[in-house]
């Protein structure tokens, strides 16, 4: 797994080697340009994490009487939220909810024996026990009562990198490192004047798509998701 420092070095030696921002291929990027490169890297990672399930997390909700729709926002966290009368996300200080939901993948509720979990239908109007996701950061629980527990696994964003820590890990599969480098370089070339730079930007974006399509066809990102309940059980959900 690469660090931010490794990634910046690879950009300089690789697709940015001929540019001033790449220090002409010396393996460094000028300090004044690093915030921009990190910002583009964060955008590129959000794009990849939306395209593939690269990070899966879980969130537990304890229902409030008379409430049916639950926005998955930090302000509703019981640990760090500021919505005093409307906190229903059961997180911990060790694992706080970070409002990093891309898409809800599965929903669960405890079985009547209190020892196992039942997977619930998702967005299925034909099933009485279905739960719904009106948006990517919102769940609707039409049959819930006060105190009921529901858990959801979700596709999560990568935590944003900051410019002043070169040891931060870039948590993507090795097969997508070149894709991320290519996407960042494409955006940098695309912001430069001149037809040749725009052409290079388009060429890099085409290469990005080729890498991503190959990754998808060969499942190199290991996105064939198999959801287990072990993490939720470890958090005391059942």
């Amino acid at each position: 797994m690469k660090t931010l420092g490794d990634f910046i070095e690879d950009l300089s030696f690789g697709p940015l080697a001929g540019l001033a921002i790449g220090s002409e291929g010396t393996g460094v990027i000028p300090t004044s340009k690093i915030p921009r490169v990190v910002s583009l890297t964060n955008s590129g990672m959000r794009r990849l994490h939306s395209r593939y399930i690269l990070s899966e997390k879980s969130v537990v909700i304890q229902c409030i009487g008379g409430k049916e729709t639950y926005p998955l926002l930090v302000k509703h966290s019981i640990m760090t939220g500021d919505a005093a009368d409307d906190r229903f996300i059961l997180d911990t200080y060790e694992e706080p909810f970070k409002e990093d939901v891309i898409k809800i993948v599965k929903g669960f509720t405890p079985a009547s024996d209190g020892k196992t979990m039942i997977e619930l239908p998702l967005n299925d109007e034909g099933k009485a026990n279905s739960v719904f996701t009106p948006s990517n950061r919102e769940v609707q629980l039409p049959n819930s009562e006060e105190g009921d527990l529901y858990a959801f696994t979700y596709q999560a964003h990568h935590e944003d990198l900051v410019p002043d820590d070169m040891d931060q890990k870039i948590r993507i599969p090795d097969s997508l490192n070149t894709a991320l480098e290519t996407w960042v370089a494409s955006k940098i070339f695309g912001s430069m004047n001149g037809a040749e730079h725009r052409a290079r930007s388009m060429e890099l974006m085409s290469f990005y798509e080729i890498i991503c399509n190959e990754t998808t066809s060969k499942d190199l990102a290991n996105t064939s998701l198999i959801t287990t309940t072990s993490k939720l059980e470890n958090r005391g959900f059942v």
Side-chain angles (χ1 to χ4, degrees):
M1 189 175 295
K2 289 188 177 183
T3 65
L4 177 58
D6 296 331
F7 182 74
I8 284 176
E9 183 178 272
D10 289 346
L11 278 174
S12 175
F13 282 134
L16 301 183
L19 301 179
I21 194 173
S23 297
E24 306 296 337
T26 61
V28 298
I29 285 178
T31 302
S32 62
K33 303 296 184 182
I34 285 178
R36 181 186 176 207
V37 171
V38 171
S39 176
L40 289 172
T41 303
N42 284 330
S43 296
M45 286 195 299
R46 284 193 289 273
R47 190 181 183 96
L48 288 173
H49 277 73
S50 295
R51 188 164 185 158
Y52 308 99
I53 301 178
L54 302 179
S55 176
E56 184 197 48
K57 295 183 180 180
S58 59
V59 60
V60 178
I61 291 173
Q62 185 170 41
C63 294
I64 297 172
K67 188 176 182 66
E68 183 174 297
T69 302
Y70 294 83
L72 300 179
L73 304 173
V74 167
K75 68 180 182 179
H76 299 299
S77 156
I78 64 166
M79 289 292 128
T80 60
D82 56 11
D85 300 322
D86 199 19
R87 293 191 290 175
F88 46 78
I89 295 175
L90 302 184
D91 56 352
T92 66
Y93 284 115
E94 293 77 18
E95 293 185 59
F97 178 67
K98 295 183 177 180
E99 204 170 301
D100 53 356
V101 179
I102 297 175
K103 181 176 68 175
I104 298 292
V105 177
K106 292 189 177 182
F108 302 90
T109 194
S112 57
D113 61 12
K115 297 179 181 180
T116 56
M117 296 170 62
I118 298 172
E119 184 177 343
L120 299 169
L122 197 62
N123 297 315
D124 188 343
E125 294 183 354
K127 298 290 180 64
N129 63 337
S130 179
V131 294
F132 299 88
T133 56
S135 70
N136 65 320
R137 290 188 178 183
E138 192 175 51
V139 293
Q140 186 176 12
L141 311 174
N143 300 310
S144 62
E145 297 180 1
E146 184 162 3
D148 284 352
L149 294 176
Y150 288 83
F152 296 90
T153 56
Y154 63 90
Q155 181 179 351
H157 281 296
H158 192 292
E159 189 169 349
D160 277 351
L161 302 168
V162 295
D164 56 356
D165 182 1
M166 293 295 111
D167 292 327
Q168 295 165 99
K169 299 292 186 182
I170 295 180
R171 302 184 185 280
I172 58 174
D174 290 343
S175 59
L176 290 174
N177 283 328
T178 301
L180 183 58
E181 292 171 20
T182 303
W183 193 88
V184 171
S186 173
K187 293 301 179 181
I188 289 173
F189 274 98
S191 67
M192 299 171 67
N193 294 326
E196 70 279 9
H197 292 136
R198 290 192 293 274
R200 179 59 174 156
S201 174
M202 293 175 64
E203 179 185 356
L204 287 166
M205 192 56 70
S206 295
F207 185 40
Y208 168 85
E209 286 297 331
I210 289 171
I211 297 170
C212 288
N213 289 337
E214 181 179 10
T215 298
T216 299
S217 65
K218 297 181 178 179
D219 197 19
L220 298 177
N222 297 317
T223 59
S224 298
L225 182 65
I226 301 175
T227 302
T228 67
T229 60
S230 58
K231 287 185 179 180
L232 294 170
E233 290 169 352
N234 290 339
R235 292 176 58 186
F237 182 62
V238 294

